[in-house]
Amino acid sequence: MSKIQLFCLPYAGGSATIYSKWKRLLNADIELYPVELAGRGRRFNESPYANVEEAIEDIYREISGKLHAPFALFGHSMGSLLTYEICCKIKQQKGVEPVHIFASGRRAPQCPHDRKVMHLLPEAEFMTEVQQLGGTPPELFENRELAEIFMPLLRADYKLVETYVYQEKNIKFDCSLTVLNGKEDDMVPEHLTAWSDHTNGSFNIVEYDGGHFFIHDHTESIVKKINETLSRVALSSGR
């Protein structure tokens, strides 16, 4: 019986290590693949992406050789947008799709950007806005050397997201899709339900206490939800 691969994509400024705690909590039949993006972690010396298209080409090169059925994807915030786009790319190139998509902390890709444009802000204002969002270690703001390394990457990630233009691809997935959301995040409900436009399968929204970075406060319950969901998928497919 083959394991279900779970590819996880990080939020803006995040690295693959944000998912490291998940390994010990996932069911034995789920194989964790945290995807490292350019400019961070082991790929620190690489330039960050200029746009979503460049990111997707790179992610596809990173994972296409490892990909086998069955597989699922999880992304948070920027990672959710990249998850949608890489699923489209995989379906176009390989004719296969995931058994489940987890989209966390982000509106559906076709919904217009409705928040302050961050990547054009002056440095001090940009840092203040990032700090208020939470999710970034305080030492990155307190240590100037660290800030000088990290802020350009974060700004590049915000630019990637904020300059994204949705292109209709006439692709609809047959797999089920789960949206995860923080109750205190500034999210328009219709922008969450709009994810259902991308699947013919079952669709549900799971809400957690907290703001945009709720995933750090609910690791165990989120991984439990993933375990339960992928177990149901395995049963329904007769694996």
Side-chain angles (χ1 to χ4, degrees):
M1 185 185 295
S2 58
K3 291 186 174 184
I4 297 178
Q5 294 176 303
L6 177 64
F7 293 92
C8 296
L9 291 157
Y11 47 76
S15 74
T17 58
I18 66 172
Y19 297 110
S20 57
K21 294 178 188 173
W22 289 23
K23 192 164 188 177
R24 64 182 176 81
L25 299 169
L26 285 165
N27 286 348
D29 62 348
I30 300 172
E31 198 168 4
L32 181 66
Y33 285 85
V35 179
E36 192 70 276
L37 305 181
R40 64 214 84 199
R42 62 177 174 80
R43 305 183 65 188
F44 173 76
N45 290 324
E46 299 178 37
S47 299
Y49 309 116
N51 50 50
V52 167
E53 292 75 20
E54 191 178 297
I56 294 306
E57 287 299 321
D58 179 68
I59 294 165
Y60 186 75
R61 282 194 299 269
E62 281 279 305
I63 73 173
S64 60
K66 303 169 185 169
L67 200 65
H68 67 65
F71 65 95
L73 282 101
F74 180 102
H76 182 74
S77 196
M78 178 184 79
S80 290
L81 173 60
L82 297 177
T83 288
Y84 166 74
E85 288 289 342
I86 195 65
C87 286
C88 291
K89 176 87 170 176
I90 290 167
K91 187 157 185 173
Q92 287 170 328
Q93 295 293 317
K94 291 182 173 285
V96 296
E97 63 174 68
V99 293
H100 198 88
I101 295 170
F102 298 93
S104 174
R106 184 170 173 86
R107 64 191 177 279
Q110 72 274 26
C111 297
H113 184 78
D114 58 353
R115 297 186 178 189
K116 181 184 287 189
V117 175
M118 299 266 287
H119 78 275
L120 297 175
L121 293 175
E123 184 178 354
E125 194 177 344
F126 179 72
M127 288 179 71
T128 300
E129 290 285 340
V130 169
Q131 203 164 6
Q132 287 174 353
L133 270 175
T136 304
E139 55 267 24
L140 286 173
F141 302 100
E142 296 160 3
N143 184 315
R144 182 152 188 83
E145 288 181 4
L146 282 177
E148 285 176 356
I149 293 168
F150 181 70
M151 287 300 150
L153 169 66
L154 193 57
R155 193 183 287 272
D157 282 355
Y158 272 99
K159 181 183 177 184
L160 177 150
V161 171
E162 291 170 350
T163 58
Y164 170 77
V165 178
Y166 175 72
Q167 302 286 340
E168 179 60 57
K169 299 177 182 64
N170 199 28
I171 290 176
K172 203 162 185 177
F173 302 106
D174 292 317
C175 65
S176 46
L177 193 155
T178 299
V179 169
L180 297 85
N181 184 54
K183 293 175 186 175
E184 284 80 56
D185 200 359
D186 182 21
M187 201 74 71
V188 178
E190 292 77 14
H191 287 178
L192 296 176
T193 57
W195 277 102
S196 64
D197 294 346
H198 299 289
T199 181
N200 295 315
S202 62
F203 171 80
N204 70 312
I205 297 174
V206 184
E207 295 209 292
Y208 296 86
D209 290 332
H212 188 62
F213 288 100
F214 67 91
I215 60 165
H216 293 313
D217 301 319
H218 301 281
T219 300
E220 292 195 6
S221 55
I222 289 169
V223 176
K224 183 182 178 187
K225 170 59 68 177
I226 292 169
N227 285 335
E228 291 169 353
T229 302
L230 296 184
S231 290
R232 283 198 302 273
V233 167
L235 284 172
S236 64
S237 64
R239 286 180 55 246

